Amino acid sequence: MIDSQFDLVVIGGGPAGIAATSTAASFGLKVAIIDERATFGGQIFKRLGEGFAIQSPDDLGKDYARGARLIDELDQPRISKFTATTVLTIEANQIITSHPVEGVRSFNPKALVIAPGAYDRPVVFPGWTLPGVMTAGAVQTLVKTQQISPGKRIFFAGSGPLALAFSAQLIKYGAPVFKVIESAPFPSPAKLLGLLSSVNGNWDLAGDALRYRSTLLSKRVPFHYGRIIIKAEGSGRVEEVTHARVDRDWNPIPGTEVVESADTLCLGYGFFPSHELFRLLDCNFDYDETRGGFTVAKDHWGLTESSSPIPIYAVGDGTGVTGSYSAEAQGRLAGLHIANHLGSLSTTERDTQSKGFLKELNQRNKFQRAINKMFEVKQGIYQLADANTVICRCESVKAKEIDPVIDSTCDLSVVKSYSRAGMGLCQARNCQRQIAAMIAKRHDRSISEINFQTPRMPVKPVEIGKIADPSIREEKYFIQ
Amino acid sequence: MSERAPFLVGYLDNETNQSDLPPSSDVVIIGGGLLGTSLAYYLSKSGVETVLIERDDINREASGTNAGSFHFQIALHQLTPNMSESEKRRLADEVRLQVDAASLWDEIEQELDADLGVHFDGGIMVAESDDEMRVLKEKDVIEKEAGLESHILTGDEMRAFAPYLAPDLAGISFCPREGHANSLLVGPTYAYRAWQNGALFRTGCDVTRIERVSGGGDLKGKRFRVITSRGVIECNRVVNATGAWAAELSAQLGLHIPLGLSGLHVNVTEPREYFLKSMIQHIGRRLTLKQTHNNTFIIGGGWPSREEKFPKRYSNTWSSTTGNLAVALRVLPMLADVKLLRTWSGVWAYTKDFKPILGESEKVPGYHIAMVPTGFTLGPMVAQMLSQYMTAAPGKGKLPTEFNIDREVA
Ligand SMILES: Cc1cc2nc3c(=O)[nH]c(=O)nc-3n(C[C@H](O)[C@H](O)[C@H](O)COP(=O)(O)OP(=O)(O)OC[C@H]3O[C@@H](n4cnc5c(N)ncnc54)[C@H](O)[C@@H]3O)c2cc1C
Ligand SMILES: Cc1cc2nc3c(=O)[nH]c(=O)nc-3n(C[C@H](O)[C@H](O)[C@H](O)COP(=O)(O)OP(=O)(O)OC[C@H]3O[C@@H](n4cnc5c(N)ncnc54)[C@H](O)[C@@H]3O)c2cc1C
C-alpha cells in the first residue's frame, strides 16, 4: 500500500528527526515520522523499562527532561507517528517500510528527511568478542532502562567527551566502574584555550563536562589520559584487561602495558554514522575520523545531492557525529527549509526564523570542533588486532584469513567475496572500517580512499514472509 | 581438498599485478570472468603464453554475481511457448552440452585442487498447475533421450520425497545430476592456478581499443595491438571474454555480435540449519533456490534489476525482491520466518539463439570470442573447447559450427 497523503516523511525519531518533524508540521505540513524502535526519542532519550517507576526525574538527568519535551512536540494533529516501523529501502521517491504486524507500507512524499543516528564505534583488539566486553551504549541501556549493572568490576576504556559523560553517568546510576582510560593525551594549554574560546553559548555542555569530571573525582575513580585498551582475556568471559600508553598516532608503546582484573570491559570510543540509506541514494561523502569516518556532504539546511527526484535532507549524527544539540538544530533548519520549499513559509520568514538555530548550530559546532581537536581519533585505533583476532564476528573471519586477500586488492567487496568478511547479519557495519584500515595500511593509502562495499537493500534484515508479495508477476520468458 | 579456498586468493600478488604490461604475448585474453580465467588456465596448462587483462578485479561481474546453479535440466528460460519438433531438437542438443558440462564439474575440485563448494545433490523442478505439469513431462522425454537422468514425482510420492515442499504442488521432476557451486570461488581459483602455470594477469586495466596491425597474417609478427588504460600490448591472438561488453570491442573490428543484456536480481538470507540438499527451480515461474554450504539460502531465477550507467552497478528493485520471494515462499513455505539479508544484481548477457558464441572470426583471423549465456554451467567447458581449438595444429582445430562467431542471428 502506498501512502500518498504526506508532504514530508522523516526517517528517525531522535532529536534531529523530531525537530525536523515538529518544525515542518508547525507550518501546516502533513508529516509522517518513522522509527524502528517502539518509542520515539532516539539514542539519547531511552525510556525506562516497562513497570519501572521514576523516583525522581533528576535521577535521570536533564537528558530525560529534554527528551520528554521533544517527544511532546510530536503531539500535533498534522503529525502521524509510525513506531516499530523499519525503513528497508528507498526507491526514487518511494520510502518502503515494514512493521511486524501491519506489514509493508510505502510512502511517496514531496520531501524526505533522513536522520538515522549513529551506533557505537566497534574497536577490534584481541579479545574484543569475549562475553563481558560491551559497548558503552549497551551498558548504558542496561543501566538506564533496567537498572542492571552488567558486572561487579567494570573497566571503562574510551575516548572523547562521551567517554567522560558515559562513565560518569554509569557511576551515578551506581554501576561499579573502577577505572577509566582515555586515549587522547592530557589536553594541552593551547587546546584548552581553544575550548575555552568556544564555550560561549555552550556553558551547559562545559558545565556538564565539569560535573562529569567531579563525579569521577568524588567517587575516586582514576581517569588516565593517553592509554588504550589492547587486550581482554578470560575463559568464557572477561577476567583480565590489558591497556598501554599510546604514541601520537594511538599506537601502543611496548613496555607500558598494565594488566587489571575486571569482569566487564566497557568501550566508548565514539560513534559511526548509520549511512546505509544515504549510500543507497548515491549521496556524496567526506571523511573525518573523529566524526565517525564517512560524513554526508550537505549544505547548512541539510540538503544533500542524491539520485532521488525529491529533495533529501540529511540531519543529525547519521550524517557525521556532532551530538544531540547540533542534531536538534539541524533538524529545525531542515524543517524550515522544507516549509519554505513546499510553499508554507516565505523565504524572508524562513531566514528570520532560522537565524537563531543557525547561530546555535554554529556555536555548537564550534564547541564540537574544539572538543574534537582535543580528542582526535588516530589511526592506531585500527592497529590493535593480531593475526588470530576475529575481524568479522558475524562470519568468524580472522585477520590472518583476510590478509592474503588484501594482498591483491583494494576493494572491500572483493575481500568480502573471498573471505566472507562482511557477509553476515550486520552486513559489515562492524568490520567494514577495520578492513578498510587494513587495506589502507597494506597499500599505503589513506583510509578515506577505501570505498564502501556496494550498497544494497534492505538496509535492515527482514523476514521473507513479511514482505513477499504474490500479486507481483514477472514477465514470461523469452525465446519467441 | 588440500588448500582452503580463502588462501587461494593470493592469486595475484600485488606487485606483479601492478607492474607494467609486458610488450607482447602470443595470446591476450580480455576479461577476467569465468570464461577468461578458465581459458587462461587451460591455455597456460598447454604452455601457451597468455596475458589476461581485466579492467576491474577478477570475477566481479556476471561470474561473481550469479547464483551458482548448474542448469542441466531444461529450464524455463530455454523454453518456447509451443514446442515444435525443431524446438525439441534444439533443446536436446542443449541438454547434451549440459551433460558434458556435468562431467567437467565432477572433476573440477580435483583438477584445481580446491574446495569450490561443488554439490551434486540433485535438482528439483516444480510444477504448480496441470499446464506446467504437461511441460514438465514433455521436457522429461527430451532429457531422457539426450541421456540425462530425471524422474517425475507427484502426489504422495512427491510429498514423501521432498516433505519440505508445499504439499499442493502439481508435481516435480528430479534430476540427480544437478547441483551448484560457489561462484565467488571458481573464477578466482582458475585464475590462481593459471597464474601458477605462468599466465600473467593485470587487473585495473581497461582495454579501450583493439587495432589490427597492418601486414598481419604473418604468424610470427603480431597481428593485434591492444590499447589499455595501462599501456599497449601486441599479440598474435586476442580472445574477447568480456561478457556483457563483448559487442563494443568487436564493433571496433567491424564485427556485429548479437547480444541481449539483462540485469538479474538475487537474494540471500540469514543461515538456517542445513536441510535442503537439492536445488529447486520452477518450470513456469522465475525461481532458483538453494541452500549453500554456509547454510544461507540463495534465491534468484531471473527477476530483473534496474539498469544503471556504468560503472554504477545495476540496482535492485523492491518489486523483484518481493515478487521473487513470493515464488520462493509458494514452493517452500517454511522460509517465511527466515530473514532476507541482502540483495544484489549482475548483468547477464545472452545470445538471441541462446547458443554460445565461441571461436575465431573468419573475417578477422586471430580474433576470438568466448561467450555463453548459461556461462556458469557451461563456461569452463566451452573455455576448454576453445583452448583445444587454439592449441591444435594450424587448420586442425574444430568447434561446433553453430557456435560460429560470424553467424547472423536475427
Ligand atoms: C548508544 C548511544 C548512547 C548515547 N548516549 C548519549 C548520552 O547519554 N548523552 C548524550 O548527550 N548523547 C548521547 N549519545 C549521542 C546522542 O544520542 C546523539 O548525539 C543524538 O541522539 C543524535 O540524534 P539523532 O536524531 O541524529 O539520532 P538518534 O537519536 O540516534 O535517532 C535516530 C533514530 O533513527 C532510527 N532509525 C535508524 N535507521 C532506521 C531505519 N532504517 N528505519 C527506521 N528507523 C531508523 C533509530 O531507531 C533512532 O531512533 C549517545 C549515542 C549513542 C549511539
Ligand atoms: C545474476 C545472475 C545470475 C546468473 N545465474 C546463473 C546460474 O545460476 N547458472 C549459470 O549457469 N549461469 C548464470 N548466470 C550467467 C553467468 O553468470 C554468465 O553467463 C557467466 O558468468 C559469464 O561469464 P563471462 O566470463 O563471460 O562474463 P563476466 O563474468 O561478466 O566477465 C567479463 C569480464 O570482462 C571485463 N571487461 C569488460 N570490458 C572490459 C574491457 N574493455 N577491458 C577489460 N576488461 C573488461 C569485466 O569487468 C568482467 O570482469 C547468471 C548471471 C547473472 C548476472
Side-chain angles (χ1 to χ4, degrees):
Chain A
M1 138 187 185
I2 297 188
D3 209 328
S4 300
Q5 56 173 315
F6 297 104
D7 300 309
L8 171 67
V9 163
V10 175
I11 303 172
I18 293 178
T21 302
S22 78
T23 305
S26 71
F27 296 104
L29 299 186
K30 236 172 143 345
V31 189
I33 179 167
I34 302 170
D35 202 297
E36 63 184 333
R37 298 169 194 240
T39 54
F40 288 110
Q43 283 285 6
I44 189 172
F45 309 120
K46 285 172 195 142
R47 294 303 188 87
L48 292 178
E50 244 182 82
F52 208 92
I54 309 169
Q55 304 300 333
S56 129
D58 233 25
D59 288 347
L60 292 158
K62 63 184 185 26
D63 280 352
Y64 187 84
R66 192 176 143 227
R69 264 199 313 278
L70 266 170
I71 294 166
D72 284 346
E73 284 187 32
L74 293 178
D75 285 328
Q76 296 183 43
R78 281 178 296 269
I79 296 176
S80 300
K81 294 181 264 190
F82 298 90
T83 49
T85 304
T86 305
V87 175
L88 298 175
T89 184
I90 302 170
E91 250 178 63
N93 67 336
Q94 245 193 80
I95 296 105
I96 298 163
T97 74
S98 133
H99 181 279
V101 181
E102 283 157 34
V104 173
R105 181 194 293 264
S106 304
F107 302 84
N108 56 354
K110 302 188 185 96
L112 174 65
V113 171
I114 306 180
Y119 58 102
D120 290 278
R121 171 196 278 269
V123 180
V124 179
F125 54 90
W128 74 292
T129 53
L130 262 186
V133 180
M134 300 178 77
T135 63
V139 174
Q140 190 192 42
T141 307
L142 268 179
V143 174
K144 250 186 168 176
T145 66
Q146 291 165 48
Q147 292 203 327
I148 293 171
S149 171
K152 296 197 169 63
R153 222 178 124 72
I154 305 178
F155 184 85
F156 192 106
S159 180
L162 277 168
L164 192 60
F166 266 138
S167 50
Q169 269 186 6
L170 294 179
I171 290 165
K172 232 174 117 192
Y173 293 129
V177 176
F178 72 92
K179 190 175 272 185
V180 180
I181 58 168
E182 156 69 60
S183 304
F186 188 81
S188 65
K191 282 179 180 165
L192 280 176
L193 268 179
L195 186 64
L196 220 57
S197 72
S198 69
V199 157
N200 201 2
N202 292 293
W203 291 108
D204 47 348
L205 294 183
D208 282 353
L210 285 176
R211 257 195 311 284
Y212 295 144
R213 190 76 185 95
S214 69
T215 304
L216 293 185
L217 283 173
S218 71
K219 302 279 175 178
R220 295 180 198 287
V221 178
F223 188 98
H224 297 294
Y225 283 98
R227 300 191 74 84
I228 200 165
I229 184 76
I230 60 171
K231 200 163 35 172
E233 290 166 296
S235 53
R237 184 187 168 90
V238 178
E239 287 162 6
E240 276 180 353
V241 300
T242 309
H243 53 102
R245 270 233 325 273
V246 292
D247 65 14
R248 298 170 58 100
D249 285 326
W250 288 18
N251 293 308
I253 300 170
T256 64
E257 297 86 355
V258 174
V259 184
E260 322 237 12
S261 76
D263 64 3
T264 303
L265 171 60
C266 182
L267 301 170
Y269 283 92
F271 304 102
F272 278 169
S274 300
H275 40 48
E276 292 80 10
L277 289 170
F278 299 113
R279 283 161 49 202
L280 266 185
L281 290 175
D282 302 313
C283 296
N284 296 319
F285 291 87
D286 300 316
Y287 199 89
D288 177 355
E289 195 65 66
T290 308
R291 289 172 59 212
F294 283 105
T295 59
V296 181
K298 53 177 182 159
D299 67 15
H300 65 268
W301 301 106
L303 204 53
T304 175
E305 275 175 42
S306 81
S307 54
S308 171
I310 57 171
I312 305 288
Y313 295 80
V315 292
D317 278 0
T319 69
V321 179
T322 48
S324 64
Y325 289 92
S326 164
E328 186 183 332
Q330 290 174 44
R332 305 256 177 240
L333 289 166
L336 288 169
H337 197 267
I338 293 159
N340 170 253
H341 177 77
L342 297 182
S344 307
L345 178 68
S346 73
T347 305
T348 343
E349 199 46 33
R350 176 196 76 186
D351 290 343
T352 316
Q353 296 215 19
S354 61
K355 274 199 189 110
F357 299 124
L358 262 179
K359 189 166 162 229
E360 155 141 30
L361 185 64
N362 287 335
Q363 269 168 355
R364 298 293 185 189
N365 286 350
K366 198 171 158 204
F367 187 72
Q368 195 71 39
R369 271 197 301 277
I371 293 254
N372 286 355
K373 268 227 166 65
M374 285 170 65
F375 299 106
E376 229 174 298
V377 177
K378 297 296 179 63
Q379 292 300 306
I381 198 165
Y382 294 116
Q383 309 302 335
L384 302 170
D386 64 25
N388 281 309
T389 307
V390 168
I391 305 291
C392 163
R393 43 193 318 174
C394 299
E395 296 286 325
S396 300
V397 188
K398 294 182 172 163
K400 65 179 182 198
E401 293 167 304
I402 295 174
D403 280 333
V405 191
I406 285 180
D407 238 21
S408 45
T409 187
C410 287
D411 190 330
L412 274 171
S413 303
V414 176
V415 175
K416 167 178 158 166
S417 53
Y418 297 165
S419 71
R420 299 197 60 78
M423 279 204 181
L425 208 61
C426 88
Q427 282 294 298
R429 266 162 82 96
N430 288 312
C431 64
Q432 185 147 288
R433 297 320 304 156
Q434 178 68 27
I435 298 173
M438 291 164 72
I439 294 175
K441 188 172 177 210
R442 168 66 178 86
H443 296 279
D444 209 10
R445 295 194 180 191
S446 144
I447 187 171
S448 60
E449 293 170 52
I450 312 301
N451 225 325
F452 310 109
Q453 58 181 39
T454 319
R456 294 289 185 194
M457 62 104 145
V459 297
K460 299 279 163 82
V462 60
E463 285 179 16
I464 288 177
K466 292 280 186 289
I467 61 170
D469 184 351
S471 72
I472 297 176
R473 309 296 293 196
E474 69 274 35
E475 274 175 50
K476 282 284 174 194
Y477 257 113
F478 311 118
I479 305 177
Q480 302 297 337
Chain B
M1 255 47 32
S2 50
E3 278 174 287
R4 232 165 71 76
F7 291 102
L8 288 171
V9 295
Y11 62 100
L12 312 167
D13 66 279
N14 190 49
E15 283 61 37
T16 328
N17 190 28
Q18 291 309 314
S19 51
D20 290 343
L21 269 180
S24 72
S25 173
D26 178 359
V27 175
V28 165
I29 300 173
I30 309 170
L34 185 52
L35 273 287
T37 54
S38 57
L39 180 64
Y41 171 77
Y42 293 115
L43 284 176
S44 59
K45 198 179 164 191
S46 308
V48 178
E49 185 190 28
T50 305
V51 175
L52 185 148
I53 298 176
E54 164 59 50
R55 69 174 169 210
D56 190 348
D57 259 301
I58 298 294
N59 212 50
R60 292 284 285 131
E61 297 292 348
S63 302
T65 54
N66 68 64
S69 318
F70 301 149
H71 291 292
F72 298 150
Q73 296 185 71
I74 296 167
L76 174 62
H77 57 255
Q78 292 163 281
L79 296 176
T80 44
N82 310 300
M83 268 191 264
S84 63
E85 282 312 307
S86 75
E87 288 300 335
K88 287 182 183 168
R89 270 196 306 279
R90 171 183 66 85
L91 285 170
D93 284 348
E94 286 175 17
V95 173
R96 273 182 214 106
L97 205 60
Q98 283 153 203
V99 171
D100 288 346
S103 14
L104 184 146
W105 283 106
D106 273 338
E107 284 158 18
I108 193 170
E109 290 189 322
Q110 235 170 344
E111 169 86 23
L112 299 180
D113 194 17
D115 180 354
L116 303 174
V118 176
H119 286 248
F120 277 112
D121 296 314
I124 290 172
M125 183 84 68
V126 310
E128 267 184 73
S129 63
D130 293 344
D131 267 356
E132 288 173 359
M133 203 57 214
R134 230 183 343 269
V135 182
L136 211 58
K137 285 181 182 149
E138 264 185 308
K139 95 172 189 26
D140 191 60
V141 173
I142 302 171
E143 284 165 359
K144 288 211 170 81
E145 273 174 19
L148 184 68
E149 181 186 345
S150 63
H151 308 271
I152 299 253
L153 304 172
T154 55
D156 287 341
E157 225 183 354
M158 169 189 88
R159 288 184 280 272
F161 180 77
Y164 41 79
L165 292 178
D168 60 338
L169 292 171
I172 62 174
S173 69
F174 177 70
C175 168
R177 283 294 272 146
E178 241 168 12
H180 51 96
N182 186 340
S183 56
L184 296 175
L185 299 179
V186 183
T189 306
Y190 266 121
Y192 178 65
R193 295 302 183 203
W195 177 68
Q196 287 181 319
N197 286 342
L200 290 181
F201 287 76
R202 293 293 182 272
T203 59
C205 185
D206 189 5
V207 174
T208 50
R209 275 200 77 73
I210 305 173
E211 287 172 2
R212 294 174 80 174
V213 178
S214 56
D218 167 13
L219 284 178
K220 295 242 167 55
K222 302 296 179 198
R223 291 186 285 192
F224 298 97
R225 194 177 291 124
V226 177
I227 294 141
T228 82
S229 58
R230 288 177 55 186
V232 176
I233 179 170
E234 297 198 335
C235 64
N236 214 6
R237 297 178 284 179
V238 179
V239 182
N240 180 341
T242 57
W245 296 271
E248 295 166 24
L249 290 173
S250 303
Q252 292 178 4
L253 299 171
L255 298 177
H256 173 65
I257 309 297
L259 284 192
L261 298 188
S262 123
L264 299 186
H265 174 104
V266 187
N267 309 280
V268 65
T269 71
E270 63 177 337
R272 276 296 160 91
E273 202 178 324
Y274 189 75
F275 79 93
L276 184 63
K277 287 174 90 177
S278 305
M279 171 170 80
I280 302 177
Q281 297 177 77
H282 197 305
I283 193 66
R285 309 262 336 247
R286 299 190 182 198
L287 176 71
T288 62
L289 166 56
K290 64 184 73 76
Q291 189 167 19
T292 67
H293 66 334
N294 301 300
N295 296 342
T296 59
F297 295 92
I298 291 185
I299 302 170
W303 288 72
S305 58
R306 192 185 305 107
E307 187 180 342
E308 304 281 358
K309 216 168 139 17
F310 187 82
K312 189 180 172 190
R313 292 177 167 264
Y314 281 33
S315 54
N316 295 90
T317 68
W318 181 249
S319 65
S320 281
T321 311
T322 53
N324 196 353
L325 293 178
V327 183
L329 214 50
R330 167 72 186 92
V331 173
L332 201 63
M334 64 192 293
L335 288 182
D337 66 349
V338 176
K339 285 196 175 108
L340 169 69
L341 264 199
R342 186 178 169 92
T343 59
W344 73 84
S345 83
V347 186
W348 180 53
Y350 56 92
T351 46
K352 302 280 159 62
D353 60 4
F354 222 69
K355 291 197 168 71
I357 299 181
L358 191 76
E360 181 174 6
S361 170
E362 274 169 31
K363 295 180 195 152
V364 186
Y367 185 73
H368 303 68
I369 297 179
M371 114 112 239
V372 51
T374 28
F376 187 65
T377 311
L378 301 180
M381 186 186 61
V382 301
Q384 198 178 28
M385 291 164 74
L386 183 59
S387 166
Q388 279 158 5
Y389 169 86
M390 292 175 75
T391 49
K396 292 276 191 275
K398 276 212 166 50
L399 285 167
T401 48
E402 69 263 34
F403 298 174
N404 182 352
I405 81 173
D406 299 312
R407 72 180 181 270
E408 297 291 327
V409 185

